[in-house]
Amino acid sequence: MSRILREPMVIVNFKTYLEATGKRAVELARKAEEVCHETGVSIGVAPQFSDLAAVAAEVDIPVLAQHLDPVKPGGYTGHVLAESVKEAGARGTLINHSERQLKLSDVSEAVNRARDSGLLSVVCANNPYTSAAVAALKPDVIAIEPPELIGTGIPVSKAKPEIITGTIELVRRVNVDVTILCGAGITQGEDVTAALRLGTRGVLVASGIVKAKDPHAVMLEFAVASKKG
Amino acid sequence: MSRILREPMVIVNFKTYLEATGKRAVELARKAEEVCHETGVSIGVAPQFSDLAAVAAEVDIPVLAQHLDPVKPGGYTGHVLAESVKEAGARGTLINHSERQLKLSDVSEAVNRARDSGLLSVVCANNPYTSAAVAALKPDVIAIEPPELIGTGIPVSKAKPEIITGTIELVRRVNVDVTILCGAGITQGEDVTAALRLGTRGVLVASGIVKAKDPHAVMLEFAVASKKG
Amino acid sequence: MSRILREPMVIVNFKTYLEATGKRAVELARKAEEVCHETGVSIGVAPQFSDLAAVAAEVDIPVLAQHLDPVKPGGYTGHVLAESVKEAGARGTLINHSERQLKLSDVSEAVNRARDSGLLSVVCANNPYTSAAVAALKPDVIAIEPPELIGTGIPVSKAKPEIITGTIELVRRVNVDVTILCGAGITQGEDVTAALRLGTRGVLVASGIVKAKDPHAVMLEFAVASKKG
Amino acid sequence: MSRILREPMVIVNFKTYLEATGKRAVELARKAEEVCHETGVSIGVAPQFSDLAAVAAEVDIPVLAQHLDPVKPGGYTGHVLAESVKEAGARGTLINHSERQLKLSDVSEAVNRARDSGLLSVVCANNPYTSAAVAALKPDVIAIEPPELIGTGIPVSKAKPEIITGTIELVRRVNVDVTILCGAGITQGEDVTAALRLGTRGVLVASGIVKAKDPHAVMLEFAVASKKG
């Protein structure tokens, strides 16, 4: 895992924002790559499936899918294989984001599919209990994101620090190896520093960067802040 | 929880079998009640939502719903509240059966809704890893059921004992209190005894009883066998 | 169909409001029955699955389920059969409400299951085009409800009359027999009259009645207004 | 629409078969292009999302997505925009395939998203009634595929011709413009000819070509046969 993303890490979820679609996905990924080179901080980017190949061809930072279907090769029209995602150049994948949640058994199968394909698995969870549940499935990374804060600009690391510390406590009883990130409402460097000081190893962010007037500046701020954690 | 179902326990899932719908649901529940009285073994029955009230009005054994929606009172047409299920006379509920799986966050919320309403929560899981994940959500009961054996007559307790022992091992690392059941393919008393000897505290059964020529006889056999566990 | 609900009709969707759950579902249904007797207007009530039997036992007006699973008898834990719904006393069912939408093939199968079981099918749709699509499936009733107005108190019949007239026009090209209702935001008698004057044959309402301080008075107002349509 | 695929047409659904994933998707698309050049018959190919860009960059035949999410730009992690699909080089999309079915309102929205983005919409349906329902949504193409025949090698055009003729009859009452295809079990040229003689304008095929020992030969056979329709 550490070969794919070093800690502390920043993962930028491009969602389906136009600002991070098609050519603009490639441009945003390039800016992330610059910040990575400038600071040495590990930044991963997660564009839409159909943008994966173009992004991965252009940048030398880890590219992740935003979702992984829990299916093996066969008759599953409209789904995407781990094999295809990987061949397109992705090195990891988000799983179970609050905007693309899976049945429990499918979270498990998606983690297995990622592991078998050599993809870093970053599983999202909405609270400390579900985070502990996810920990039992042995993913590489857990990202705790309270859905009520996503996209609000109210940083989880400052507004609800007890969710982060509670998650870490419950997760560690189940799994001592998994990397823990947090997300939701992160828009400033100090939110990143706060997240790390609470015990996480990085952040998962989306609108805070994608929708920023100067995404390069914000990523730079985040990367610098992550060194203070 | 022990006030609702004693260990060892047998839970009969009526599914949507015609043999266990409407008046026939009431009849089958009466037979379960007879066996309970004859043997002292705790038998719960899980009819369809719309049969809950009629069944609960007629028998003095625990009645469970087959599913619980993870919603609070409000605008959720087509869903069913824990409050309604309870007022209809149910004392517990299955959650996340392989034929009615939920997103992870919804399994968590349904367990919370059951707890807050005083309903026994029996959460189903398909393998040892997802069982351990469920254990982190602190339900009253976990029922491990490998989907590939459901309805086959091939008993999980004899065909795949390692799934049961593996489940118990992983679950206990996360949760020492939860009651563990198993199900899938259970049709004979010896399958029940085997399940208990592997360390479970009972079984979740459906077609093995509902589709039997003489359900009373099979339930009696199961109840007697559960005393040998 | 006309044997189950006469035109003009008012269908009251109880949703999962506490004010219309358990004993309070029975009480609200009794008030609907009173209004039906006082005015001769056909009023149907749609409580939760687990309240169907208690409500149907107490009132002599049509009781509808809020949803119908598109399954036949078999292994479908957590689902509800048309057979069970009917035996509980329901005479019809909502299908595809915006809060419980189905895949297209399942809408079709649920309509078929209702028809084969002698249940009145009331299929909800969100716009004129999907209403026309539903019309091709030959349900008994179509209820057009723009989701953005549900629960707002802004009546579709006054705020968006063109949606109703557009629906009627498109539906009639496909199906000349189906009864057309509308819903969303209906809280006053004049909203009902407006709906009927636009060409519908009644309304589907929920919070406007369930959440009213005096549901009997509002239902009476609706019933009287429906005679002016 | 005719600018994207001419009639008669053959659309090859790559599903998630390994034989049509990654580089092998590109290879198979090249063979389709050869057949198109050899015969003048219009052949479209539908690879996975993450293979779209690589395939579209290499061939000069229409490339389709296998599914289209009914979402507009915004916070929809794990989904894919029409804008992204199009920028990757796709010129159309399947919608509502039986292996990736959508709620009715989402079929409608996906058709609208395709139309607004200049993507050819090919909506799948499972029977004549749902085909007529789809016709009301005004897609470019409807593909009728009885799910029970998919992947069987039993051709719908020979085993259930009444489904095709019934579909055409019901669809034409609702929509006189939409192009009608059929699929399921098509493995031989004579199945294609039969489909066209029943009144369709082409076929949607998957395993019959993807899993064939010599896909080029089968596509050639299909293309030649489609001229006899």
Side-chain angles (χ1 to χ4, degrees), chain C residues 96 101-108 125-127 129-130 132-134 136-138 173-174, chain D residues 96 101-108 124-127 129-130 132-134 136-138 173-174:
Chain C
N96 197 45
Q101 292 182 67
L102 298 176
K103 298 175 198 170
L104 170 58
S105 64
D106 285 343
V107 178
S108 176
N126 64 324
N127 67 40
Y129 293 95
T130 51
V134 166
L137 306 176
K138 301 191 182 301
R173 289 186 201 167
V174 177
Chain D
N96 197 46
Q101 292 182 66
L102 297 176
K103 297 176 199 171
L104 170 58
S105 64
D106 285 342
V107 178
S108 176
C124 301
N126 64 324
N127 67 42
Y129 292 95
T130 51
V134 165
L137 306 175
K138 302 193 182 300
R173 290 186 200 168
V174 177

mmCIF file of all heavy atoms in Angstrom, chain C residues 96 101-108 125-127 129-130 132-134 136-138 173-174, chain D residues 96 101-108 124-127 129-130 132-134 136-138 173-174:
data_model
loop_
_atom_site.group_PDB
_atom_site.id
_atom_site.type_symbol
_atom_site.label_atom_id
_atom_site.label_comp_id
_atom_site.label_asym_id
_atom_site.label_seq_id
_atom_site.Cartn_x
_atom_site.Cartn_y
_atom_site.Cartn_z
ATOM 1 N N ASN C 96 -44.652 2.624 -7.066
ATOM 2 C CA ASN C 96 -43.679 3.564 -7.640
ATOM 3 C C ASN C 96 -43.819 4.991 -7.105
ATOM 4 O O ASN C 96 -43.506 5.968 -7.806
ATOM 5 C CB ASN C 96 -43.779 3.575 -9.173
ATOM 6 C CG ASN C 96 -42.558 4.183 -9.834
ATOM 7 O OD1 ASN C 96 -41.435 3.866 -9.458
ATOM 8 N ND2 ASN C 96 -42.757 5.059 -10.794
ATOM 9 N N GLN C 101 -39.386 4.297 -5.379
ATOM 10 C CA GLN C 101 -39.407 4.062 -6.812
ATOM 11 C C GLN C 101 -38.879 2.683 -7.183
ATOM 12 O O GLN C 101 -38.049 2.108 -6.486
ATOM 13 C CB GLN C 101 -38.578 5.132 -7.511
ATOM 14 C CG GLN C 101 -39.202 6.502 -7.409
ATOM 15 C CD GLN C 101 -38.406 7.539 -8.141
ATOM 16 O OE1 GLN C 101 -38.309 7.512 -9.357
ATOM 17 N NE2 GLN C 101 -37.807 8.452 -7.418
ATOM 18 N N LEU C 102 -39.354 2.207 -8.311
ATOM 19 C CA LEU C 102 -38.979 0.888 -8.799
ATOM 20 C C LEU C 102 -38.320 0.991 -10.167
ATOM 21 O O LEU C 102 -38.554 1.943 -10.918
ATOM 22 C CB LEU C 102 -40.233 0.020 -8.940
ATOM 23 C CG LEU C 102 -41.011 -0.267 -7.661
ATOM 24 C CD1 LEU C 102 -42.270 -1.051 -7.990
ATOM 25 C CD2 LEU C 102 -40.146 -1.060 -6.698
ATOM 26 N N LYS C 103 -37.528 -0.043 -10.482
ATOM 27 C CA LYS C 103 -37.057 -0.188 -11.852
ATOM 28 C C LYS C 103 -38.270 -0.316 -12.766
ATOM 29 O O LYS C 103 -39.303 -0.860 -12.375
ATOM 30 C CB LYS C 103 -36.225 -1.465 -11.986
ATOM 31 C CG LYS C 103 -34.983 -1.524 -11.163
ATOM 32 C CD LYS C 103 -34.370 -2.916 -11.349
ATOM 33 C CE LYS C 103 -33.387 -3.223 -10.257
ATOM 34 N NZ LYS C 103 -32.970 -4.651 -10.288
ATOM 35 N N LEU C 104 -38.106 0.116 -14.001
ATOM 36 C CA LEU C 104 -39.214 0.060 -14.953
ATOM 37 C C LEU C 104 -39.806 -1.350 -15.036
ATOM 38 O O LEU C 104 -41.032 -1.523 -14.988
ATOM 39 C CB LEU C 104 -38.717 0.512 -16.333
ATOM 40 C CG LEU C 104 -39.667 0.283 -17.485
ATOM 41 C CD1 LEU C 104 -40.992 0.990 -17.261
ATOM 42 C CD2 LEU C 104 -39.033 0.747 -18.788
ATOM 43 N N SER C 105 -38.969 -2.371 -15.158
ATOM 44 C CA SER C 105 -39.507 -3.732 -15.305
ATOM 45 C C SER C 105 -40.263 -4.156 -14.053
ATOM 46 O O SER C 105 -41.191 -4.967 -14.126
ATOM 47 C CB SER C 105 -38.390 -4.730 -15.624
ATOM 48 O OG SER C 105 -37.483 -4.824 -14.551
ATOM 49 N N ASP C 106 -39.883 -3.617 -12.915
ATOM 50 C CA ASP C 106 -40.580 -3.961 -11.674
ATOM 51 C C ASP C 106 -41.903 -3.209 -11.527
ATOM 52 O O ASP C 106 -42.845 -3.727 -10.930
ATOM 53 C CB ASP C 106 -39.677 -3.690 -10.459
ATOM 54 C CG ASP C 106 -38.592 -4.746 -10.308
ATOM 55 O OD1 ASP C 106 -38.717 -5.837 -10.918
ATOM 56 O OD2 ASP C 106 -37.605 -4.490 -9.597
ATOM 57 N N VAL C 107 -41.969 -1.989 -12.054
ATOM 58 C CA VAL C 107 -43.269 -1.307 -12.087
ATOM 59 C C VAL C 107 -44.236 -2.176 -12.886
ATOM 60 O O VAL C 107 -45.378 -2.439 -12.462
ATOM 61 C CB VAL C 107 -43.168 0.094 -12.740
ATOM 62 C CG1 VAL C 107 -44.559 0.744 -12.806
ATOM 63 C CG2 VAL C 107 -42.205 0.993 -11.980
ATOM 64 N N SER C 108 -43.774 -2.644 -14.034
ATOM 65 C CA SER C 108 -44.619 -3.471 -14.895
ATOM 66 C C SER C 108 -45.055 -4.746 -14.174
ATOM 67 O O SER C 108 -46.234 -5.114 -14.182
ATOM 68 C CB SER C 108 -43.820 -3.817 -16.162
ATOM 69 O OG SER C 108 -44.537 -4.682 -16.998
ATOM 70 N N ALA C 125 -46.113 8.755 -10.880
ATOM 71 C CA ALA C 125 -45.115 9.156 -11.871
ATOM 72 C C ALA C 125 -44.753 10.606 -11.610
ATOM 73 O O ALA C 125 -45.532 11.354 -11.014
ATOM 74 C CB ALA C 125 -45.659 8.983 -13.283
ATOM 75 N N ASN C 126 -43.559 10.998 -12.039
ATOM 76 C CA ASN C 126 -43.050 12.309 -11.651
ATOM 77 C C ASN C 126 -43.213 13.402 -12.691
ATOM 78 O O ASN C 126 -43.003 14.572 -12.390
ATOM 79 C CB ASN C 126 -41.575 12.195 -11.236
ATOM 80 C CG ASN C 126 -40.672 11.771 -12.379
ATOM 81 O OD1 ASN C 126 -41.068 10.974 -13.222
ATOM 82 N ND2 ASN C 126 -39.459 12.301 -12.412
ATOM 83 N N ASN C 127 -43.537 13.025 -13.936
ATOM 84 C CA ASN C 127 -43.707 14.057 -14.952
ATOM 85 C C ASN C 127 -44.586 13.521 -16.082
ATOM 86 O O ASN C 127 -44.932 12.332 -16.095
ATOM 87 C CB ASN C 127 -42.341 14.570 -15.442
ATOM 88 C CG ASN C 127 -41.545 13.533 -16.215
ATOM 89 O OD1 ASN C 127 -42.096 12.772 -17.020
ATOM 90 N ND2 ASN C 127 -40.245 13.477 -15.969
ATOM 91 N N TYR C 129 -43.980 12.735 -19.156
ATOM 92 C CA TYR C 129 -43.400 11.678 -19.975
ATOM 93 C C TYR C 129 -43.402 10.324 -19.254
ATOM 94 O O TYR C 129 -43.746 9.300 -19.836
ATOM 95 C CB TYR C 129 -41.971 12.052 -20.421
ATOM 96 C CG TYR C 129 -41.996 13.206 -21.370
ATOM 97 C CD1 TYR C 129 -41.826 14.510 -20.919
ATOM 98 C CD2 TYR C 129 -42.240 13.008 -22.720
ATOM 99 C CE1 TYR C 129 -41.891 15.589 -21.792
ATOM 100 C CE2 TYR C 129 -42.309 14.079 -23.604
ATOM 101 C CZ TYR C 129 -42.131 15.368 -23.124
ATOM 102 O OH TYR C 129 -42.211 16.419 -24.001
ATOM 103 N N THR C 130 -43.010 10.338 -17.990
ATOM 104 C CA THR C 130 -43.036 9.068 -17.265
ATOM 105 C C THR C 130 -44.480 8.631 -17.011
ATOM 106 O O THR C 130 -44.756 7.435 -16.932
ATOM 107 C CB THR C 130 -42.257 9.163 -15.939
ATOM 108 O OG1 THR C 130 -42.725 10.307 -15.213
ATOM 109 C CG2 THR C 130 -40.763 9.298 -16.177
ATOM 110 N N ALA C 132 -46.884 8.961 -19.189
ATOM 111 C CA ALA C 132 -47.255 8.288 -20.432
ATOM 112 C C ALA C 132 -46.619 6.906 -20.497
ATOM 113 O O ALA C 132 -47.232 5.938 -20.967
ATOM 114 C CB ALA C 132 -46.823 9.133 -21.632
ATOM 115 N N ALA C 133 -45.391 6.819 -20.002
ATOM 116 C CA ALA C 133 -44.724 5.511 -19.967
ATOM 117 C C ALA C 133 -45.520 4.551 -19.087
ATOM 118 O O ALA C 133 -45.778 3.395 -19.457
ATOM 119 C CB ALA C 133 -43.286 5.657 -19.449
ATOM 120 N N VAL C 134 -45.925 5.022 -17.920
ATOM 121 C CA VAL C 134 -46.719 4.194 -17.011
ATOM 122 C C VAL C 134 -48.028 3.770 -17.670
ATOM 123 O O VAL C 134 -48.483 2.630 -17.525
ATOM 124 C CB VAL C 134 -46.988 4.946 -15.695
ATOM 125 C CG1 VAL C 134 -48.088 4.262 -14.892
ATOM 126 C CG2 VAL C 134 -45.701 5.043 -14.865
ATOM 127 N N ALA C 136 -48.621 2.956 -20.562
ATOM 128 C CA ALA C 136 -48.426 1.805 -21.442
ATOM 129 C C ALA C 136 -48.442 0.485 -20.679
ATOM 130 O O ALA C 136 -48.566 -0.584 -21.268
ATOM 131 C CB ALA C 136 -47.099 1.950 -22.205
ATOM 132 N N LEU C 137 -48.320 0.558 -19.362
ATOM 133 C CA LEU C 137 -48.304 -0.656 -18.534
ATOM 134 C C LEU C 137 -49.714 -1.025 -18.069
ATOM 135 O O LEU C 137 -49.900 -2.019 -17.391
ATOM 136 C CB LEU C 137 -47.370 -0.448 -17.338
ATOM 137 C CG LEU C 137 -45.946 -0.013 -17.690
ATOM 138 C CD1 LEU C 137 -45.146 0.254 -16.412
ATOM 139 C CD2 LEU C 137 -45.246 -1.067 -18.544
ATOM 140 N N LYS C 138 -50.694 -0.210 -18.415
ATOM 141 C CA LYS C 138 -52.108 -0.482 -18.162
ATOM 142 C C LYS C 138 -52.462 -0.665 -16.681
ATOM 143 O O LYS C 138 -53.125 -1.638 -16.302
ATOM 144 C CB LYS C 138 -52.572 -1.691 -18.964
ATOM 145 C CG LYS C 138 -52.398 -1.504 -20.479
ATOM 146 C CD LYS C 138 -53.096 -2.581 -21.262
ATOM 147 C CE LYS C 138 -52.865 -2.404 -22.764
ATOM 148 N NZ LYS C 138 -53.343 -1.111 -23.274
ATOM 149 N N ARG C 173 -52.974 9.719 -25.236
ATOM 150 C CA ARG C 173 -52.524 9.180 -26.538
ATOM 151 C C ARG C 173 -52.173 7.700 -26.427
ATOM 152 O O ARG C 173 -52.195 6.964 -27.400
ATOM 153 C CB ARG C 173 -51.267 9.927 -27.010
ATOM 154 C CG ARG C 173 -51.545 11.349 -27.442
ATOM 155 C CD ARG C 173 -50.289 11.954 -28.032
ATOM 156 N NE ARG C 173 -50.340 13.414 -27.999
ATOM 157 C CZ ARG C 173 -49.308 14.194 -28.219
ATOM 158 N NH1 ARG C 173 -48.127 13.657 -28.515
ATOM 159 N NH2 ARG C 173 -49.429 15.496 -28.169
ATOM 160 N N VAL C 174 -51.802 7.294 -25.212
ATOM 161 C CA VAL C 174 -51.335 5.923 -24.999
ATOM 162 C C VAL C 174 -52.423 5.041 -24.411
ATOM 163 O O VAL C 174 -52.490 3.840 -24.670
ATOM 164 C CB VAL C 174 -50.117 5.935 -24.035
ATOM 165 C CG1 VAL C 174 -49.641 4.527 -23.724
ATOM 166 C CG2 VAL C 174 -48.987 6.772 -24.627
ATOM 167 N N ASN D 96 -30.471 1.279 -19.300
ATOM 168 C CA ASN D 96 -31.449 0.349 -18.733
ATOM 169 C C ASN D 96 -31.278 -1.093 -19.211
ATOM 170 O O ASN D 96 -32.246 -1.861 -19.278
ATOM 171 C CB ASN D 96 -32.884 0.820 -19.041
ATOM 172 C CG ASN D 96 -33.907 0.155 -18.146
ATOM 173 O OD1 ASN D 96 -33.703 0.066 -16.933
ATOM 174 N ND2 ASN D 96 -34.995 -0.335 -18.714
ATOM 175 N N GLN D 101 -30.380 -2.074 -14.586
ATOM 176 C CA GLN D 101 -31.677 -1.430 -14.732
ATOM 177 C C GLN D 101 -31.787 -0.185 -13.868
ATOM 178 O O GLN D 101 -31.153 -0.069 -12.829
ATOM 179 C CB GLN D 101 -32.778 -2.413 -14.364
ATOM 180 C CG GLN D 101 -32.897 -3.554 -15.345
ATOM 181 C CD GLN D 101 -34.023 -4.491 -14.985
ATOM 182 O OE1 GLN D 101 -35.180 -4.124 -15.028
ATOM 183 N NE2 GLN D 101 -33.678 -5.706 -14.615
ATOM 184 N N LEU D 102 -32.648 0.719 -14.327
ATOM 185 C CA LEU D 102 -32.855 1.986 -13.649
ATOM 186 C C LEU D 102 -34.317 2.125 -13.233
ATOM 187 O O LEU D 102 -35.211 1.538 -13.820
ATOM 188 C CB LEU D 102 -32.514 3.132 -14.602
ATOM 189 C CG LEU D 102 -31.075 3.213 -15.084
ATOM 190 C CD1 LEU D 102 -30.931 4.352 -16.088
ATOM 191 C CD2 LEU D 102 -30.130 3.430 -13.914
ATOM 192 N N LYS D 103 -34.519 2.967 -12.228
ATOM 193 C CA LYS D 103 -35.874 3.382 -11.909
ATOM 194 C C LYS D 103 -36.458 4.083 -13.135
ATOM 195 O O LYS D 103 -35.734 4.724 -13.900
ATOM 196 C CB LYS D 103 -35.848 4.402 -10.762
ATOM 197 C CG LYS D 103 -35.320 3.893 -9.458
ATOM 198 C CD LYS D 103 -35.273 5.074 -8.464
ATOM 199 C CE LYS D 103 -34.362 4.795 -7.308
ATOM 200 N NZ LYS D 103 -34.154 6.011 -6.481
ATOM 201 N N LEU D 104 -37.765 4.014 -13.262
ATOM 202 C CA LEU D 104 -38.415 4.634 -14.414
ATOM 203 C C LEU D 104 -38.027 6.103 -14.568
ATOM 204 O O LEU D 104 -37.685 6.557 -15.670
ATOM 205 C CB LEU D 104 -39.935 4.513 -14.264
ATOM 206 C CG LEU D 104 -40.779 5.310 -15.245
ATOM 207 C CD1 LEU D 104 -40.463 4.925 -16.680
ATOM 208 C CD2 LEU D 104 -42.251 5.118 -14.942
ATOM 209 N N SER D 105 -38.051 6.870 -13.488
ATOM 210 C CA SER D 105 -37.750 8.304 -13.609
ATOM 211 C C SER D 105 -36.300 8.518 -14.038
ATOM 212 O O SER D 105 -35.977 9.521 -14.677
ATOM 213 C CB SER D 105 -38.031 9.039 -12.292
ATOM 214 O OG SER D 105 -37.182 8.570 -11.265
ATOM 215 N N ASP D 106 -35.440 7.570 -13.686
ATOM 216 C CA ASP D 106 -34.033 7.691 -14.083
ATOM 217 C C ASP D 106 -33.811 7.285 -15.532
ATOM 218 O O ASP D 106 -32.909 7.821 -16.199
ATOM 219 C CB ASP D 106 -33.139 6.856 -13.149
ATOM 220 C CG ASP D 106 -32.966 7.512 -11.787
ATOM 221 O OD1 ASP D 106 -33.233 8.719 -11.655
ATOM 222 O OD2 ASP D 106 -32.551 6.816 -10.843
ATOM 223 N N VAL D 107 -34.593 6.346 -16.042
ATOM 224 C CA VAL D 107 -34.520 6.051 -17.482
ATOM 225 C C VAL D 107 -34.858 7.332 -18.241
ATOM 226 O O VAL D 107 -34.154 7.725 -19.183
ATOM 227 C CB VAL D 107 -35.513 4.929 -17.882
ATOM 228 C CG1 VAL D 107 -35.433 4.687 -19.393
ATOM 229 C CG2 VAL D 107 -35.226 3.634 -17.133
ATOM 230 N N SER D 108 -35.920 7.985 -17.807
ATOM 231 C CA SER D 108 -36.354 9.220 -18.460
ATOM 232 C C SER D 108 -35.259 10.284 -18.411
ATOM 233 O O SER D 108 -34.926 10.916 -19.427
ATOM 234 C CB SER D 108 -37.628 9.721 -17.775
ATOM 235 O OG SER D 108 -38.053 10.951 -18.306
ATOM 236 N N CYS D 124 -32.838 -0.290 -23.376
ATOM 237 C CA CYS D 124 -33.230 -1.696 -23.378
ATOM 238 C C CYS D 124 -34.527 -1.878 -22.590
ATOM 239 O O CYS D 124 -34.806 -1.161 -21.630
ATOM 240 C CB CYS D 124 -32.138 -2.547 -22.749
ATOM 241 S SG CYS D 124 -30.555 -2.389 -23.606
ATOM 242 N N ALA D 125 -35.300 -2.858 -23.005
ATOM 243 C CA ALA D 125 -36.543 -3.190 -22.308
ATOM 244 C C ALA D 125 -36.722 -4.704 -22.372
ATOM 245 O O ALA D 125 -36.191 -5.368 -23.257
ATOM 246 C CB ALA D 125 -37.723 -2.467 -22.937
ATOM 247 N N ASN D 126 -37.485 -5.235 -21.407
ATOM 248 C CA ASN D 126 -37.551 -6.688 -21.271
ATOM 249 C C ASN D 126 -38.782 -7.347 -21.876
ATOM 250 O O ASN D 126 -38.828 -8.560 -22.001
ATOM 251 C CB ASN D 126 -37.446 -7.078 -19.785
ATOM 252 C CG ASN D 126 -38.610 -6.560 -18.957
ATOM 253 O OD1 ASN D 126 -39.107 -5.461 -19.208
ATOM 254 N ND2 ASN D 126 -39.051 -7.340 -17.988
ATOM 255 N N ASN D 127 -39.797 -6.538 -22.236
ATOM 256 C CA ASN D 127 -40.985 -7.147 -22.841
ATOM 257 C C ASN D 127 -41.736 -6.088 -23.655
ATOM 258 O O ASN D 127 -41.369 -4.903 -23.639
ATOM 259 C CB ASN D 127 -41.870 -7.804 -21.760
ATOM 260 C CG ASN D 127 -42.492 -6.808 -20.800
ATOM 261 O OD1 ASN D 127 -42.959 -5.739 -21.200
ATOM 262 N ND2 ASN D 127 -42.486 -7.150 -19.514
ATOM 263 N N TYR D 129 -44.568 -4.593 -23.251
ATOM 264 C CA TYR D 129 -45.206 -3.521 -22.482
ATOM 265 C C TYR D 129 -44.186 -2.498 -21.989
ATOM 266 O O TYR D 129 -44.403 -1.287 -22.075
ATOM 267 C CB TYR D 129 -46.007 -4.097 -21.306
ATOM 268 C CG TYR D 129 -47.199 -4.869 -21.787
ATOM 269 C CD1 TYR D 129 -47.134 -6.251 -21.960
ATOM 270 C CD2 TYR D 129 -48.365 -4.211 -22.150
ATOM 271 C CE1 TYR D 129 -48.217 -6.956 -22.455
ATOM 272 C CE2 TYR D 129 -49.456 -4.904 -22.640
ATOM 273 C CZ TYR D 129 -49.376 -6.288 -22.797
ATOM 274 O OH TYR D 129 -50.441 -6.973 -23.302
ATOM 275 N N THR D 130 -43.075 -2.989 -21.454
ATOM 276 C CA THR D 130 -42.062 -2.034 -21.014
ATOM 277 C C THR D 130 -41.410 -1.343 -22.221
ATOM 278 O O THR D 130 -40.971 -0.193 -22.112
ATOM 279 C CB THR D 130 -40.986 -2.716 -20.147
ATOM 280 O OG1 THR D 130 -40.502 -3.869 -20.830
ATOM 281 C CG2 THR D 130 -41.566 -3.140 -18.797
ATOM 282 N N ALA D 132 -43.065 -0.401 -24.862
ATOM 283 C CA ALA D 132 -43.996 0.689 -25.179
ATOM 284 C C ALA D 132 -43.833 1.825 -24.177
ATOM 285 O O ALA D 132 -43.917 3.002 -24.539
ATOM 286 C CB ALA D 132 -45.427 0.165 -25.175
ATOM 287 N N ALA D 133 -43.603 1.459 -22.907
ATOM 288 C CA ALA D 133 -43.378 2.485 -21.887
ATOM 289 C C ALA D 133 -42.133 3.302 -22.251
ATOM 290 O O ALA D 133 -42.147 4.538 -22.201
ATOM 291 C CB ALA D 133 -43.212 1.837 -20.504
ATOM 292 N N VAL D 134 -41.065 2.616 -22.625
ATOM 293 C CA VAL D 134 -39.834 3.306 -23.004
ATOM 294 C C VAL D 134 -40.084 4.211 -24.215
ATOM 295 O O VAL D 134 -39.563 5.334 -24.286
ATOM 296 C CB VAL D 134 -38.718 2.285 -23.314
ATOM 297 C CG1 VAL D 134 -37.559 2.948 -24.052
ATOM 298 C CG2 VAL D 134 -38.234 1.628 -22.019
ATOM 299 N N ALA D 136 -42.492 5.977 -24.894
ATOM 300 C CA ALA D 136 -43.076 7.258 -24.479
ATOM 301 C C ALA D 136 -42.018 8.252 -24.016
ATOM 302 O O ALA D 136 -42.287 9.448 -23.898
ATOM 303 C CB ALA D 136 -44.100 7.030 -23.369
ATOM 304 N N LEU D 137 -40.821 7.754 -23.738
ATOM 305 C CA LEU D 137 -39.740 8.622 -23.262
ATOM 306 C C LEU D 137 -38.918 9.186 -24.424
ATOM 307 O O LEU D 137 -37.978 9.946 -24.217
ATOM 308 C CB LEU D 137 -38.839 7.854 -22.287
ATOM 309 C CG LEU D 137 -39.577 7.197 -21.105
ATOM 310 C CD1 LEU D 137 -38.600 6.366 -20.268
ATOM 311 C CD2 LEU D 137 -40.262 8.258 -20.243
ATOM 312 N N LYS D 138 -39.244 8.755 -25.660
ATOM 313 C CA LYS D 138 -38.632 9.289 -26.881
ATOM 314 C C LYS D 138 -37.113 9.106 -26.957
ATOM 315 O O LYS D 138 -36.373 10.063 -27.234
ATOM 316 C CB LYS D 138 -38.984 10.771 -27.042
ATOM 317 C CG LYS D 138 -40.497 11.014 -27.101
ATOM 318 C CD LYS D 138 -40.821 12.424 -27.585
ATOM 319 C CE LYS D 138 -42.330 12.666 -27.585
ATOM 320 N NZ LYS D 138 -43.055 11.717 -28.477
ATOM 321 N N ARG D 173 -47.709 2.240 -31.620
ATOM 322 C CA ARG D 173 -48.889 3.007 -31.217
ATOM 323 C C ARG D 173 -48.487 4.247 -30.419
ATOM 324 O O ARG D 173 -49.227 5.228 -30.346
ATOM 325 C CB ARG D 173 -49.789 2.152 -30.309
ATOM 326 C CG ARG D 173 -50.474 1.022 -31.053
ATOM 327 C CD ARG D 173 -51.453 0.332 -30.112
ATOM 328 N NE ARG D 173 -51.776 -0.998 -30.606
ATOM 329 C CZ ARG D 173 -52.411 -1.920 -29.895
ATOM 330 N NH1 ARG D 173 -52.779 -1.643 -28.646
ATOM 331 N NH2 ARG D 173 -52.664 -3.096 -30.403
ATOM 332 N N VAL D 174 -47.296 4.167 -29.802
ATOM 333 C CA VAL D 174 -46.847 5.242 -28.919
ATOM 334 C C VAL D 174 -45.849 6.161 -29.608
ATOM 335 O O VAL D 174 -45.791 7.358 -29.344
ATOM 336 C CB VAL D 174 -46.201 4.639 -27.640
ATOM 337 C CG1 VAL D 174 -45.664 5.732 -26.734
ATOM 338 C CG2 VAL D 174 -47.203 3.766 -26.891
#
